[in-house]
Amino acid sequence: MNLDDDYQYILALATHGSLSAAAKQLNVTHTTVARRIHAFEARFNVTLFERVPKGYQLTQIGRSVLPDIERLKSLQGHIERQLEGQDKSLKGEVNIALTPELAHDYVIPLLDEFYQCFPHIQLNLIMGTSQKDLNAREADIALRFTPEPTQPDLIGKKLFASNWGVYASDSYIKKPKQIDNLLLWQLEFHKDWYQGHFNKTQIIARFDNLAALISATDQGLGIAKLPCGLADQAKYENLRRLDLTTSPSNWSLWLLYHFDLKETAKIMAVKSFLIEHFSKFESRFLGETSRYL
């Protein structure tokens, strides 16, 4: 049994307090998390976690060893990054953390071109809405929508601002209505963006997934505030941007990686390729190509 591997299960459950959330972080099943932790406890005849109404919490012995486990994993990650940073070859795997929307609309379409340039680099796309910890080697590169990077020791490039606009479909706009339907994103910074723009409104749905929110708007279910870089695409031919002024967006698209990997040839190759590719779409993300009502 590899203790280093077991430690990541302990850290994940200690962080999230639930088997399902820990499993999601580690990309395994919740039964795998439970089995690995139970085997670790049986090996040392200890109990690290106890069940509570809302999930799991550390026992006293669990709390006492957690700082040492965190330091061990941090040191392990640092050693791995240092060794990885000396790799001068253009081959091997590169893990990219990004949202499903960026993956489907912007990265997957360029894969064929990428492999023609770098046939020996394997790209692993890690898609999700939660941020991956680059310090813990959960990914090598992150394409991240964020106001500012929050993890220490990360370097990279702010690609451009990600501006937002208010959108509705042609079919929705043409409908006679007395009350406007609103579709809201749960992570919106300016939650009252619609106030003062419409006579009467009702919120009919909230979304934690941007692709679903854009699709619902495109299908004529209501009005939504959307990122221009995702909404202003040919496949959403029914969407129209309304000429409304809203608060400036706090979001930008960043490409980030750990400082220790700045000399790794395959990381730098992927970084440069992605920056060049995304630079073609700056005007779209800025909202300069929107189709207005």
Side-chain angles (χ1 to χ4, degrees), residues 6-16 66 69-70 73:
D6 288 331
Y7 291 149
Q8 67 180 335
Y9 292 92
I10 295 171
L11 288 174
L13 186 56
T15 299
H16 298 289
L66 184 65
I69 293 176
E70 290 174 333
K73 292 302 292 182

Side-chain angles (χ1 to χ4, degrees), residues 10-271:
I10 295 171
L11 288 174
L13 186 56
T15 299
H16 298 289
S18 80
L19 292 174
S20 59
K24 183 177 181 180
Q25 175 189 319
L26 299 171
N27 196 29
V28 297
T29 65
H30 72 277
T31 55
T32 298
V33 176
R35 175 174 55 80
R36 293 295 293 264
I37 291 178
H38 177 72
F40 184 94
E41 292 176 325
R43 180 173 183 177
F44 293 99
N45 194 28
V46 296
T47 301
L48 298 179
F49 294 92
E50 60 183 352
R51 286 294 303 267
V52 293
K54 293 184 178 181
Y56 290 83
Q57 69 179 19
L58 289 165
T59 61
Q60 182 177 354
I61 184 63
R63 291 192 298 271
S64 70
V65 300
L66 184 65
D68 290 327
I69 293 176
E70 290 174 333
R71 282 191 291 270
L72 178 62
K73 292 302 292 182
S74 178
L75 179 59
Q76 179 188 6
H78 177 67
I79 293 172
E80 291 175 354
R81 290 192 304 269
Q82 291 280 69
L83 295 174
E84 187 77 17
Q86 305 305 311
D87 185 359
K88 304 300 181 184
S89 64
L90 289 174
K91 62 182 180 180
E93 299 182 26
V94 175
N95 298 315
I96 304 175
L98 71 172
T99 66
E101 296 81 20
L102 284 178
H104 288 295
D105 295 339
Y106 289 98
V107 175
I108 291 175
L110 67 82
L111 289 182
D112 184 60
E113 180 183 351
F114 177 84
Y115 291 125
Q116 291 182 36
C117 298
F118 305 102
H120 303 298
I121 297 178
Q122 174 182 318
L123 297 183
N124 301 324
L125 304 185
I126 305 172
M127 292 173 277
T129 55
S130 60
Q131 291 189 359
K132 295 300 179 182
D133 188 345
L134 301 187
N135 288 323
R137 296 299 308 279
E138 291 180 355
D140 300 308
I141 292 175
L143 283 169
R144 183 174 296 173
F145 287 111
T146 182
E148 294 285 345
T150 56
Q151 286 185 269
D153 299 324
L154 299 187
I155 58 176
K157 181 179 177 62
K158 176 181 175 179
L159 300 183
F160 34 69
S162 177
N163 290 333
W164 292 53
V166 180
Y167 290 80
S169 72
D170 278 335
S171 59
Y172 178 83
I173 294 167
K174 294 174 182 177
K175 287 179 183 177
K177 61 186 84 64
Q178 296 181 338
I179 300 177
D180 276 302
N181 295 334
L182 297 178
L183 310 172
L184 302 184
W185 188 44
Q186 290 187 351
L187 299 181
E188 170 64 51
F189 271 87
H190 307 108
K191 297 187 181 299
D192 60 349
W193 59 264
Y194 51 88
Q195 293 185 4
H197 293 303
F198 307 98
N199 292 327
K200 293 183 179 181
T201 60
Q202 60 179 355
I203 299 171
I204 65 169
R206 294 182 186 271
F207 297 77
D208 66 358
N209 179 278
L210 284 173
L213 174 58
I214 296 171
S215 178
T217 310
D218 185 54
Q219 293 178 36
L221 297 183
I223 298 170
K225 185 180 175 185
L226 305 173
C228 302
L230 301 180
D232 293 340
Q233 299 187 75
K235 65 179 180 178
Y236 299 120
E237 60 182 14
N238 294 320
L239 281 182
R240 294 293 180 269
R241 187 173 173 183
L242 308 184
D243 191 12
L244 300 178
T245 301
T246 59
S247 299
S249 172
N250 296 311
W251 299 89
S252 295
L253 180 60
W254 291 76
L255 185 148
L256 302 167
Y257 54 96
H258 197 279
F259 177 83
D260 290 342
L261 300 179
K262 64 184 179 65
E263 301 297 334
T264 307
K266 62 184 178 183
I267 301 296
M268 294 301 98
V270 175
K271 178 207 74 170

